[in-house]
Amino acid sequence: MRHVISVLVENEAGVLSRVAGLFAARGFNIESLTVAPAGDEQTSRITLVSEGDDEIIEQIIKQLNKLIPVIHVVDLTEGAHVERELMLVKVTAEKEVRAEVLRIADIFRSRVVDATPNSFMIEVTGDATKLDACLELLKPLGVIELVRTGQVALSRGNRGMIKN
Amino acid sequence: MELTGAEIIVRSLLDLGVRHVFGYPGGSVLHIYDAIFKTPEIQHILCRHEQGAVHAADGYARVTGEVGVALVTSGPGATNALTGLATANMDSIPLVCLTGQVPVDLIGNDAFQEADTVGITRSCTKHNFLVRHVADLARVLREAFHIARTGRPGPVVVDLPKDVTAARCDYVHTDGEVKIRSYNPTVIGNSRQVKKAVAMLLESSRPMIYTGGGVILANAAPELTRFTRLLGAPITNTLMGLGGFPATDPQFVGMLGMHGTYEANMAVSHCDLLVAIGARFDDRVTGKISQFAPSAKIIHVDIDPTSISKNVKVHLPIVGDVKNVLGQMNALLEAQGARDHQPDLKPWWDQIQSWRDKHCLNYTQKQDWIQPQFVIETLNRLTRSEAIVATDVGQHQMWAAQFYPFDRPRYWLTSGGLGTMGYGLPAAMGAKVARPDETVLLITGDGSIQMNIQELATCRQFHIPVKIAILNNNYLGMVRQWQEIFYEGRYSHSHMAFGPDFVKLAEAYGAVGLRATRPEEVEPVIKKALEIDNTVVMDFRVAEESNVYPMVPAGKALNEMILL
């Protein structure tokens, strides 16, 4: 099963390589990984998406917790949560196809963020399945290149990851 | 008080209670060595290789329970230390290794003797630090010691750029607890889980206790002994756990695993409740995992949550310091009067006796050749089972574990997890520095001893008289044994047809060399060695093709042992 794991870490040099190194050394797979400061100076938040049976996921969470600079680990998949990913995609768009690209963009409530006479860049936000669906429709029109951020996620409700 | 970084390091070490440092100087640690020169309270042991320095600190830590300290230079100093760090990491030994580093503004420039020490030690340490500012130095050192010795212990590297050791900063002596918000090991067992465990213990008619190095590390031997007595159950130790329970006690059934006793392995295979304490279900212990303790419920007590349900799914996990958890269980067992509520264990003990009657460790000492087991039995007899024993890795290690009984913790030093040949001599050295009044024996092989034999010079220079017994069979014996059993006797490169004359070699290093080639020479050689106040190398020319038995072939179940 696919799990979205949120990891709160000390914002210090080398944390990301400790996390990535752990996954490499123990043969755990990473589908996506995002990391950025968590709003204060001291902490960063890593969102990891990994695939594995319950025992593997349990090990991943325990092993992450064992890393010294890791403050807290939560498997968001255990409860209600919101997932978001952002994709920038550059599509060929000439003449009569231009309207079609804009229609697809509209269906997915995405925005055109750059345009040339023969291309558009579209910004799409949503969960991974929405991005996949959008991409499926754009591909036949000619995708030049694309980039995705990987999932970020938060649990629903009024509680934070750690009680303050 | 304003001090240089180097002075802060030395002051911090003193304030942390360090009196011995094992090290090797070099360019980037010269400031630190200069500060050590001016600090007679710290005894520095100059080893002959950085690997030796780290193993020596490891041996020191194993016998004392304190944090061992090694000091090495940057680049090759740090890379040479790696095997020592990985060894300590696998066996959860508390160490702090200070490594020199090139100045901060040269880091990443491929400077002379630069290595990415923090990068390459990340996966073989519990944690590591690179100190970029002298103001952080004292705090980082305190954190390093705290991390090394608490929770599941382990080695910590502190990487020290040369300019940081020269910069000046105020040093304030600080006492009290180190607080790291992201690091809070669970030390007390969950009381509901403990209660459940005790209920399971009192229901079992075939209980079995299986304990590992965690008992030694937690200084929990008294609690374990009490627990085992209260329960009346048989107990087995892993290689790392030897000495956690008195080996001469009738409740002890010997070591388990690949070269464990028949009775220990059969008992584990037939028990209905397995209580694992400070052990981690290593593959050398479990054999074929799907057939390990097949009819047992498993209780697992460990301070490291990652050890629980990693290899074997357990029924009742208890995370905590094993000393505390055993104390908690003992209190409940005492309150409830354990023995009155238990099923009769006599049929279980009768069954164990029938396995014991196989005498699985039997061997025959003939007239002509010295059997290696006979050497260890004689060593044991002449040291009255009271020596600190270090080993290297291979056949001699298994024979030592089988034939030298340990009644006390912290008398047995062996590289169990990583299996590091070359561990023994420096580890024995470190142990002797910590315990100068104890007899320290190294049981080794002709292959292993050559991997760190240069430390004989250290023994001589600092008068560290360890007694070295080489079981010399001209083979990498364990490799040869596997080749004999699993590769139809094709001894591919396990034959060391040429070896040095160990007697002359000992003499060249200022030690004493003795040799025994016949069984009747074994006892006089050992007696003489024990009387000499110097390092002694005993070269025992033993039977070349002796095998370690009993044996569970790799991938087989524990009840599929090969007996002699």
Side-chain angles (χ1 to χ4, degrees):
Chain A
M1 205 186 123
R2 179 178 164 278
H3 288 254
V4 180
I5 298 165
S6 194
V7 191
L8 192 68
V9 299
E10 297 289 354
N11 186 7
E12 60 185 39
V15 176
L16 184 58
S17 48
R18 286 182 207 281
V19 171
L22 165 69
F23 275 71
R26 298 204 176 258
F28 302 142
N29 88 70
I30 303 180
E31 211 168 276
S32 78
L33 184 152
T34 70
V35 56
D40 55 27
E41 292 281 296
Q42 288 88 38
T43 57
S44 286
R45 194 144 166 163
I46 297 173
T47 310
L48 270 160
V49 179
S50 187
E51 183 91 32
D53 57 30
D54 290 353
E55 283 87 53
I56 302 267
I57 298 298
E58 186 187 326
Q59 263 301 309
I60 289 176
I61 290 170
K62 286 174 172 178
Q63 294 286 356
L64 283 167
N65 266 314
K66 194 170 162 178
L67 296 176
I68 308 287
V70 168
I71 301 165
H72 203 61
V73 185
V74 173
D75 182 358
L76 292 172
T77 334
E78 282 179 350
H81 65 283
V82 178
E83 287 177 31
R84 285 292 178 271
E85 184 174 5
L86 185 142
M87 172 170 74
L88 294 175
V89 52
K90 212 181 274 181
V91 196
T92 331
E94 289 182 68
K95 295 180 187 125
E96 64 277 14
V97 189
R98 292 182 79 82
E100 174 67 5
V101 172
L102 292 176
R103 242 193 322 275
I104 294 169
D106 191 44
I107 294 169
F108 289 94
R109 284 190 239 169
S110 50
R111 300 192 300 147
V112 174
V113 290
D114 183 44
T116 71
N118 50 10
S119 75
F120 285 125
M121 190 198 299
I122 297 169
E123 172 196 311
V124 207
T125 314
D127 63 17
T129 53
K130 176 181 164 185
L131 268 50
D132 292 343
C134 179
L135 200 53
E136 275 308 297
L137 292 185
L138 291 174
K139 264 186 188 159
L141 307 176
V143 169
I144 299 162
E145 63 173 343
L146 67 93
V147 63
R148 298 170 69 149
T149 59
Q151 298 286 314
V152 292
L154 280 181
S155 66
R156 287 189 183 275
N158 60 2
R159 288 242 187 92
M161 190 176 187
I162 42 175
K163 292 153 228 144
N164 282 321
Chain B
M1 178 178 25
E2 204 183 63
L3 299 175
T4 66
E7 288 162 350
I8 289 173
I9 292 165
V10 172
R11 281 298 301 270
S12 297
L13 291 179
L14 281 174
D15 288 347
L16 287 158
V18 175
R19 293 297 175 269
H20 294 95
V21 173
F22 300 88
Y24 203 109
S28 61
V29 285
L30 282 172
H31 297 315
I32 305 174
Y33 270 89
D34 196 46
I36 284 180
F37 188 85
K38 299 170 190 160
T39 313
E41 302 96 305
I42 289 185
Q43 195 196 350
H44 178 276
I45 315 285
L46 171 63
C47 299
R48 295 312 193 255
H49 189 291
E50 288 88 350
Q51 186 191 345
V54 180
H55 287 326
D58 172 312
Y60 185 93
R62 288 191 206 223
V63 297
T64 59
E66 291 160 23
V67 178
V69 181
L71 168 59
V72 303
T73 193
S74 62
T79 56
N80 276 345
L82 281 183
T83 304
L85 293 169
T87 303
N89 196 44
M90 286 288 265
D91 290 346
S92 309
I93 303 305
L95 287 189
V96 168
C97 181
L98 308 174
T99 55
Q101 183 54 276
V102 301
V104 170
D105 58 1
L106 283 182
I107 291 177
N109 283 15
D110 300 324
F112 176 66
Q113 292 197 326
E114 180 185 358
D116 172 16
T117 302
V118 166
I120 57 189
T121 60
R122 189 172 293 130
S123 61
C124 62
T125 54
K126 181 173 176 184
H127 195 54
N128 57 23
F129 295 92
L130 168 62
V131 184
R132 288 175 170 273
H133 307 286
V134 68
D136 297 334
L137 197 46
R139 176 185 55 79
V140 166
L141 285 169
R142 273 165 54 77
E143 290 186 0
F145 275 74
H146 176 69
I147 291 168
R149 72 171 134 226
T150 56
R152 178 177 178 173
V156 177
V157 162
V158 182
D159 203 22
L160 301 161
K162 189 169 185 180
D163 53 337
V164 172
T165 64
R168 302 183 74 87
C169 178
D170 262 340
Y171 176 75
V172 186
H173 170 76
T174 342
D175 269 330
E177 281 278 292
V178 176
K179 285 238 168 9
I180 304 170
R181 68 164 164 174
S182 58
Y183 175 73
N184 298 294
T186 307
V187 291
I188 307 287
N190 178 299
S191 58
R192 246 182 307 170
Q193 295 289 89
V194 171
K195 260 185 212 153
K196 275 192 215 163
V198 169
M200 286 165 77
L201 293 171
L202 295 182
E203 271 168 25
S204 163
S205 51
R206 297 193 310 278
M208 179 76 193
I209 304 166
Y210 144 56
T211 75
V215 170
I216 315 284
L217 295 165
N219 296 314
E223 288 79 4
L224 176 65
T225 303
R226 181 84 192 119
F227 175 76
T228 308
R229 298 246 192 284
L230 282 168
L231 202 61
I235 175 169
T236 179
N237 291 161
T238 67
L239 180 70
M240 294 304 301
L242 294 175
F245 184 82
T248 51
D249 189 285
Q251 277 177 266
F252 186 66
V253 297
M255 182 172 77
L256 83 166
M258 182 172 275
H259 293 295
T261 65
Y262 182 69
E263 50 269 36
N265 284 339
M266 291 304 277
V268 168
S269 300
H270 288 82
C271 65
D272 67 358
L273 178 70
L274 186 69
V275 193
I277 303 171
R280 60 186 178 87
F281 299 87
D282 176 79
D283 56 280
R284 286 297 192 263
V285 156
T286 61
K288 190 175 186 179
I289 202 101
S290 60
Q291 284 171 43
F292 178 74
S295 39
K297 289 228 166 78
I298 300 177
I299 298 172
H300 189 184
V301 185
D302 205 291
I303 197 157
D304 179 4
T306 68
S307 283
I308 291 175
S309 291
K310 181 177 66 181
N311 300 335
V312 170
K313 191 88 191 141
V314 306
H315 302 84
L316 187 82
I318 305 177
V319 176
D321 185 314
V322 297
K323 188 180 182 74
N324 293 333
V325 177
L326 280 166
Q328 290 170 274
M329 291 200 287
N330 288 347
L332 287 180
L333 287 170
E334 275 161 12
Q336 297 182 13
R339 293 306 253 283
D340 310 334
H341 296 83
Q342 269 178 300
D344 182 12
L345 298 186
K346 186 162 182 306
W348 179 224
W349 275 111
D350 288 346
Q351 198 176 4
I352 286 166
Q353 188 55 47
S354 72
W355 293 321
R356 270 183 170 156
D357 290 342
K358 294 253 184 195
H359 300 290
C360 67
L361 296 179
N362 263 1
Y363 69 94
T364 317
Q365 176 57 58
K366 298 201 186 99
Q367 293 284 309
D368 43 0
W369 280 101
I370 302 171
Q371 283 301 331
Q373 299 95 322
F374 173 70
V375 176
I376 294 168
E377 284 196 318
T378 313
L379 283 166
N380 175 42
R381 182 160 50 77
L382 297 176
T383 56
R384 299 178 303 283
S385 315
E386 284 174 349
I388 292 172
V389 178
T391 76
D392 274 297
V393 171
Q395 286 186 315
H396 69 268
Q397 178 189 29
M398 293 299 113
W399 283 317
Q402 291 175 335
F403 290 93
Y404 200 106
F406 295 95
D407 280 346
R408 295 172 293 180
R410 302 197 177 279
Y411 277 75
W412 168 241
L413 296 81
T414 198
S415 167
L418 196 67
T420 307
M421 289 172 71
Y423 170 77
L425 177 55
M429 209 167 74
K432 185 70 181 172
V433 168
R435 294 277 177 265
D437 298 332
E438 305 260 6
T439 302
V440 177
L441 273 181
L442 166 63
I443 298 173
T444 182
D446 53 310
S448 284
I449 187 66
Q450 293 184 69
M451 283 211 185
N452 267 323
I453 199 157
Q454 75 286 345
E455 299 305 332
L456 282 174
T458 314
C459 290
R460 173 65 187 191
Q461 180 174 343
F462 293 90
H463 187 64
I464 307 169
V466 297
K467 312 296 173 183
I468 303 165
I470 304 174
L471 304 182
N472 185 351
N473 57 8
N474 289 318
Y475 276 102
L476 297 173
M478 191 59 94
V479 173
R480 189 207 55 73
Q481 174 170 344
W482 281 53
Q483 289 171 335
E484 178 190 329
I485 299 174
F486 305 116
Y487 296 87
E488 298 169 327
R490 292 184 296 278
Y491 292 167
S492 182
H493 298 275
S494 53
H495 190 203
M496 289 195 162
F498 176 81
D501 181 330
F502 286 111
V503 172
K504 282 188 190 160
L505 190 64
E507 285 161 5
Y509 274 113
V512 175
L514 302 171
R515 179 172 291 125
T517 51
R518 299 189 51 79
E520 65 272 16
E521 292 166 356
V522 170
E523 181 163 332
V525 160
I526 296 173
K527 275 189 172 155
K528 191 166 174 200
L530 292 173
E531 281 163 11
I532 296 169
D533 182 30
N534 190 355
T535 297
V536 182
V537 177
M538 295 169 272
D539 181 22
F540 294 104
R541 313 305 299 257
V542 299
E544 287 199 340
E545 299 191 25
S546 294
N547 287 338
V548 182
Y549 288 117
M551 176 180 187
V552 180
K556 295 277 184 165
L558 288 187
N559 58 4
E560 297 177 89
M561 287 202 98
I562 305 174
L563 294 173
L564 185 63

